Amino acid sequence: MTDDESPNWDFKDRDIAILCELSDDPQLSSRELTSVLKSEYDIDVSHVTVSESIRRMRDEGVFREAIIPNEEYYTFALFEFKFNTEHFADSWRDAMTHIKEDKHTLFFFLSDGEYQWKTVMMFRSSEEISKWIHNCYKEHGDVIANIRNSSVHNVLKFRTDPRIYEDLREEQYE
């Protein structure tokens, strides 16, 4: 599967249970998952089937895996980019590629409104944040009219809640 394609997956109860349990504890082995599926969901499958299901869902892009450092090591910052439309047509792709490929970028997305590119970025210090913004304006100031940034303090939740996958089960029976 490529990054541009949406996953094509028909969820089974087993798949939803696996996603719930891995969200709660990503370190569970397929043998441990097999036991949890039996005791918590009354799903009786082999650890080989569980392992294969995880592999196939990963390959299809049902979920993504990422290593995200503990927030104690980095300052996380939300950056929002407003465009200078006068130079947008000529320069947007270089600016977008620069931001997307930057080592500080954890999460990059498009949105509506006045600030249409947004990133969650990681830096070792507030000085690094200021330097990054300065260099971004120097290199791409013709297309970026403004960068609004906010430091993220006191991260209170930083994980996928397993209950989110229950929505998939509900949609399955609609």
Side-chain angles (χ1 to χ4, degrees), residues 35-54:
S35 176
V36 171
L37 291 175
K38 179 66 175 158
S39 64
E40 301 293 322
Y41 300 91
D42 198 30
I43 297 173
D44 192 13
V45 292
S46 73
H47 73 277
V48 174
T49 300
V50 169
S51 182
E52 179 66 14
S53 182
I54 293 168

Side-chain angles (χ1 to χ4, degrees), residues 102-144:
D102 190 277
K103 72 177 186 177
H104 299 98
T105 301
L106 172 67
F107 192 65
F108 179 53
F109 56 100
L110 307 178
S111 66
D112 56 1
E114 201 171 3
Y115 289 81
Q116 295 183 2
W117 292 348
K118 293 183 175 38
T119 63
V120 175
M121 302 180 92
M122 304 179 303
F123 297 91
R124 293 290 291 146
S125 68
S126 55
E127 291 81 20
E128 276 191 11
I129 294 171
S130 294
K131 184 178 177 182
W132 191 93
I133 292 170
H134 175 80
N135 289 335
C136 187
Y137 276 128
K138 277 177 49 179
E139 199 166 326
H140 301 287
D142 61 333
V143 71
I144 297 171

Side-chain angles (χ1 to χ4, degrees), residues 13 25 44 55 68 88 92 104 109 142 159 164:
D13 284 340
D25 183 358
D44 192 13
R55 186 193 61 75
I68 301 175
F88 186 80
W92 73 270
H104 299 98
F109 56 100
D142 61 333
R159 68 179 186 90
I164 193 73

Side-chain angles (χ1 to χ4, degrees), residues 20-29 33 65 159:
C20 287
E21 294 304 318
L22 286 177
S23 292
D24 196 38
D25 183 358
Q27 301 302 318
L28 283 174
S29 70
L33 267 170
E65 295 178 290
R159 68 179 186 90

